[in-house]
Amino acid sequence: MFKWLSVLFMMTVLSGCGYNTLQSGDEGIKAAWAEVLNQYQRRADLVPNLVNVVKGYAAHEKDVLTQVTEARAKVGSLQATPELVDDEQAFQKFIAAQGQMTSAISRLLAVAENYPQLKADGLFRDLQAQLEGTENRITVARNRYIGAVKDYNITVRSFPSNLTAMMFGHKAKPSFTVENEQAIAKPPTVDFGAPAPAGGQ
């Protein structure tokens, strides 16, 4: 009887000290992170098709095509697992690689602006629309992850749940950060009147 009362007492104490909240938050972060990875993978899967279509019209844009291919290879070489959120250094490497991928894709799409026939290609337009939709889903997934991390980290750092967190080895999780906040504060310059390069159609 005493044993059961002790168990019941411990369950009450742990639930009152944030133990269940920590477990729930940890699972919420894993689920949110899995969705982020899912959308990043979707983007990576679209890139080879996009590169091939652009190559058909702008094969001499080798530097841009190579940068996109290399960025995709770098992203693919990282072990993107749910446990990545527990390793801040690996997490930051992953985020940096995804940032390079975003930048490379932007340059590829900017190149396409100089090729009217490429912009008119149905497959290119379809891939571009899919990519834009995926970027939107990445933004939504990242925002959900950021929210889940915020709630979890508040629990980890608040009293008395911080004592439970320390007892069971729960630490604050890393969130998405922006490497260059000043750069993203400026709106991008888009010039649709730029002349087509020599050899372009």
Side-chain angles (χ1 to χ4, degrees):
M1 181 71 173
F2 178 74
K3 181 180 176 183
W4 289 111
L5 287 173
S6 299
V7 170
L8 186 61
F9 175 75
M10 284 301 292
M11 286 173 62
T12 305
V13 168
L14 287 175
S15 64
C17 289
Y19 180 81
N20 290 340
T21 305
L22 286 165
Q23 301 310 310
S24 176
D26 192 45
E27 289 303 316
I29 287 172
K30 286 177 184 170
W33 180 244
E35 184 56 21
V36 170
L37 295 180
N38 181 41
Q39 296 307 329
Y40 275 135
Q41 183 60 53
R42 178 183 165 84
R43 179 173 74 168
D45 291 343
L46 287 171
V47 166
N49 294 331
L50 194 63
V51 168
N52 286 335
V53 174
V54 173
K55 197 183 290 183
Y57 289 90
H60 61 281
E61 302 279 1
K62 287 181 183 172
D63 286 349
V64 175
L65 295 167
T66 300
Q67 286 170 3
V68 175
T69 304
E70 287 175 353
R72 185 182 183 275
K74 188 170 184 179
V75 164
S77 70
L78 298 173
Q79 293 296 317
T81 63
E83 290 74 30
L84 192 65
V85 297
D86 294 321
D87 182 344
E88 191 156 2
Q89 190 175 6
F91 182 85
Q92 293 306 328
K93 280 184 185 175
F94 178 83
I95 299 309
Q98 291 295 346
Q100 289 173 358
M101 179 79 145
T102 300
S103 179
I105 290 171
S106 296
R107 286 192 295 276
L108 183 68
L109 294 176
V111 161
E113 291 299 327
N114 294 322
Y115 297 89
Q117 287 185 338
L118 171 58
K119 288 199 301 181
D121 183 284
L123 180 57
F124 176 78
R125 287 200 316 267
D126 180 54
L127 288 167
Q128 189 175 21
Q130 288 184 56
L131 191 62
E132 287 168 1
T134 300
E135 292 294 345
N136 289 336
R137 284 190 285 274
I138 287 170
T139 300
V140 170
R142 281 175 55 142
N143 285 339
R144 286 180 180 154
Y145 172 81
I146 289 167
V149 167
K150 183 188 109 178
D151 292 343
Y152 176 84
N153 286 348
I154 287 171
T155 303
V156 166
R157 292 177 175 147
S158 299
F159 183 81
S161 55
N162 65 332
L163 300 175
T164 306
M166 282 189 288
M167 187 186 309
F168 289 95
H170 292 281
K171 296 178 182 174
K173 306 274 188 187
S175 192
F176 282 96
T177 56
V178 177
E179 288 182 28
N180 189 346
E181 290 185 29
Q182 288 182 337
I184 65 161
K186 297 177 186 173
T189 303
V190 180
D191 182 6
F192 293 106
Q201 299 294 320

